[in-house]
Amino acid sequence: MQLEIITPEKKIYSGDVTAVNLPGSDGSFGLLENHAPIISTLKVGTIKVFEKDNSEKSFDVKGGVIEMNNNKIIVLAE
């Protein structure tokens, strides 16, 4: 699935991933391929990205919004 993480300044990540863990406003949650469409707000925390080559990346955020639809995830982060 495709992930983009965008801040007001620039796009900080774009790539194919196998899973993403996000700091949702009502609690942390994860997304896997073929997840149902979802829109959620984010709180202060860390986004963990699991890439197809089994590597992991982390991005600290102060909040934001996430949308997933048709295996494409867009995160608008602060």
Side-chain angles (χ1 to χ4, degrees):
M1 70 189 154
Q2 180 68 29
L3 170 67
E4 288 186 353
I5 302 175
I6 303 167
T7 68
E9 293 81 29
K10 63 181 178 178
K11 185 184 297 187
I12 59 172
Y13 183 86
S14 181
D16 287 325
V17 299
T18 58
V20 181
N21 287 339
L22 300 145
S25 296
D26 291 331
S28 296
F29 64 98
L31 298 173
L32 298 171
E33 197 164 342
N34 297 318
H35 192 285
I38 185 173
I39 295 174
S40 179
T41 55
L42 302 175
K43 65 179 182 181
V44 174
T46 302
I47 297 173
K48 286 192 176 182
V49 176
F50 301 89
E51 298 183 303
K52 293 208 178 229
D53 64 359
N54 293 325
S55 63
E56 294 180 24
K57 292 190 176 180
S58 296
F59 302 93
D60 292 326
V61 295
K62 297 177 185 173
V65 178
I66 176 270
E67 176 188 15
M68 178 171 180
N69 194 17
N70 295 325
N71 287 322
K72 180 164 184 168
I73 304 167
I74 298 174
V75 178
L76 302 177
E78 292 181 39

